[in-house]
């Protein structure tokens, strides 16, 4: 089937090609009702800009986008994203490139933003976070021919450029450390279960359990919020036989878990060891200070910006850059089991 053109959309909408161009490029000259009707027809016809024509007819806008499909309340307390955004902006501003940030409720809304940005030529490329299992965003971005870089994992098994660290090796380092201390009941308070990085961490704990002689090693998924981190900890510590160590997929949940342990009179690290997958000022200010995986999230973001600019300059480029693995920083929240 031939690629639909602006003329095809104009014929179906009963308007001029100029009106279609105005609507698709977000320019004045058509009413909002007409613009909405044209965009809806373009969507139905699966229209997208021809890459060669776009390259000839439009200059770069010197802006890239980041859309995050998570509840805003969970992002507001996560130091990881603050450091990541700082690193991204640092890498981009060195080249006078701006960053557009949107927070949406779900993946469908995120894909719609990409379609709108592409049709209106709002951004030169995008950063993709929180890759999910069979992520529909990968194929959507490829179809839109919008340059993109995945943070945190190989994009669609290498289909998109990526900047990543090995979550599996990082989780194994935590579990092996706790097992070396003598822990045999280790619980994992995991993040959102359909995220690929969450799945990699869950599999790492599961695969390591027989080799390390763990008696019990459950992974309990959450939404990464402090509220679910606290609720899951309370459930674990209310069991007749409770874990002697808990690994949390974020620093925020680890801090919430420490608060629950204190509330329930469970001594840390005397009766319970706690480890956070992410490190931040939060883990360092707690009493006891929390053992955590430390990594330079700012530099992680900066490298992602560098790779995206490479891809924008040459969309045929596919870079899969592995960054340094996080390092376990041992503090006062871990000790041999009583």
């Amino acid at each position: 089937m031939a690629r639909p053109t602006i003329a095809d959309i104009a014929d179906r909408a009963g308007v001029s090609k100029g009106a279609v161009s105005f609507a698709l490029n977000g320019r004045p000259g058509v009413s909002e009702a007409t613009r909405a009707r044209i965009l809806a027809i373009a969507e139905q016809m699966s229209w997208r800009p021809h890459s060669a024509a776009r390259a000839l007819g439009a200059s770069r806008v010197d802006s890239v986008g980041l859309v995050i499909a998570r509840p805003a309340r969970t992002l507001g307390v996560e130091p990881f994203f603050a450091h990541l955004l700082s690193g991204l902006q640092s890498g981009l501003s060195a080249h006078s490139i701006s960053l557009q940030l949107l927070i949406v409720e779900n993946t469908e809304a995120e894909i719609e933003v990409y379609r709108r940005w592409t049709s209106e030529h709002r951004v030169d490329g995008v950063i993709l976070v929180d890759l999910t299992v069979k992520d529909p965003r990968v194929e959507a971005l490829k179809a839109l021919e919008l340059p993109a870089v995945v943070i945190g994992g190989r994009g669609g098994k290498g289909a998109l450029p990526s900047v990543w660290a090995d979550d599996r090796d990082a989780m194994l380092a935590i579990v092996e450390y706790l097992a070396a201390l003598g822990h045999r009941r280790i619980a994992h308070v995991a993040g959102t279960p359909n995220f690929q990085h969450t799945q990699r961490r869950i599999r790492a704990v599961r695969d390591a359990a027989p080799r390390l002689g763990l008696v019990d090693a459950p992974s309990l998924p959450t939404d990464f919020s402090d509220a679910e981190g606290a609720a899951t900890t309370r459930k674990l510590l209310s069991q007749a036989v409770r874990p002697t160590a808990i690994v949390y997929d974020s620093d925020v949940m680890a801090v919430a878990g420490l608060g629950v342990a204190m509330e329930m009179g469970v001594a840390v690290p005397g009766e319970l060891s706690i480890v956070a997958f992410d490190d931040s000022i939060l883990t360092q200010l707690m009493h006891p200070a929390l053992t955590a995986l430390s990594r330079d999230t700012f530099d992680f973001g900066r490298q992602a910006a560098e790779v995206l600019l490479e891809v924008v300059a040459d969309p045929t480029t596919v870079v899969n850059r592995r960054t340094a693995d996080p390092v376990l920083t041992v503090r006062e929240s871990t000790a041999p089991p009583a």
Side-chain angles (χ1 to χ4, degrees):
M1 181 181 293
R3 177 197 293 263
T5 65
I6 284 178
D8 296 328
I9 298 172
D11 287 343
R12 183 175 296 189
V15 298
S16 68
K17 290 191 291 184
V20 174
S21 179
F22 289 152
L24 294 177
N25 290 288
R27 295 164 55 193
V30 293
S31 69
E32 287 306 310
T34 300
R35 187 189 310 277
R37 183 161 56 88
I38 291 170
L39 291 176
I41 291 171
E43 175 73 17
Q44 292 167 9
M45 298 178 70
S46 299
W47 175 89
R48 65 179 186 272
H50 191 286
S51 56
R54 184 170 59 192
L56 290 171
S59 61
R60 291 191 187 146
V61 294
D62 291 335
S63 179
V64 300
L66 171 62
V67 185
I68 303 175
R70 285 201 198 185
R73 64 184 177 85
T74 65
L75 291 177
V77 294
E78 281 202 25
F80 173 84
F81 276 101
H83 291 303
L84 180 68
L85 288 171
S86 298
L88 283 170
Q89 190 60 70
S90 174
L92 295 170
S93 61
H95 299 273
S96 300
I97 306 295
S98 65
L99 175 67
Q100 291 197 47
L101 172 66
L102 277 181
I103 299 174
V104 297
E105 288 302 314
N106 53 49
T107 300
E108 291 74 20
E110 183 176 341
I111 291 174
E112 186 55 39
V113 171
Y114 296 144
R115 288 174 178 151
R116 186 174 75 250
W117 277 352
T118 302
S119 67
E120 297 175 359
H121 197 206
R122 292 287 188 89
V123 296
D124 298 318
V126 295
I127 296 287
L128 194 65
V129 298
D130 293 335
L131 206 66
T132 62
V133 178
K134 298 181 180 178
D135 200 311
R137 297 174 296 172
V138 174
E139 288 304 318
L141 287 168
K142 288 172 63 180
L144 290 169
E145 298 178 359
L146 182 62
V149 170
V150 175
I151 288 183
R154 290 179 177 269
K157 297 182 179 179
L160 293 179
S162 61
V163 177
W164 58 286
D166 196 319
D167 287 280
R168 179 180 176 84
D169 282 355
M171 181 58 82
L172 288 175
I174 294 175
V175 179
E176 288 169 355
Y177 163 69
L178 291 171
L181 288 177
H183 293 279
R184 294 296 178 266
R185 296 185 180 278
I186 302 173
H188 171 210
V189 178
T192 306
N194 66 326
F195 288 171
Q196 286 191 17
H197 56 74
T198 300
Q199 288 294 322
R200 286 193 293 271
R201 298 175 193 182
I202 290 173
R203 286 195 297 269
V205 175
R206 181 193 64 204
D207 294 346
R211 174 171 59 85
L212 298 175
L214 303 186
V215 176
D216 195 22
S219 290
L220 293 81
T222 70
D223 64 357
F224 277 109
S225 70
D226 55 334
E228 287 206 11
T232 304
T233 303
R234 191 170 289 108
K235 177 181 177 181
L236 287 167
L237 297 184
S238 297
Q239 296 174 163
V241 180
R242 61 194 184 202
T244 61
I246 302 178
V247 182
Y248 295 85
D249 265 5
S250 77
D251 46 358
V252 171
M253 292 199 297
V255 169
L258 175 62
V260 169
M262 295 172 64
E263 166 201 317
M264 297 180 69
V266 178
V268 176
E271 298 174 84
L272 176 70
S273 287
I274 289 179
V275 181
F277 199 92
D278 287 325
D279 198 4
S280 71
I281 192 65
L282 287 178
T283 60
Q284 299 167 42
L285 292 178
M286 292 298 101
H287 182 72
L290 300 183
T291 294
L293 275 178
S294 303
R295 60 179 163 187
D296 191 341
T297 307
F298 178 92
D299 188 64
F300 193 56
R302 184 191 59 77
Q303 291 192 55
E306 286 181 357
V307 171
L308 180 57
L309 293 180
E310 287 181 38
V311 175
V312 168
D314 181 2
T316 64
T317 300
V318 178
V319 180
N320 285 300
R321 182 182 297 183
R322 178 174 176 173
T323 62
D325 289 345
V327 176
L328 188 64
T329 300
V330 177
R331 300 193 180 99
E332 294 84 4
S333 67
T334 48

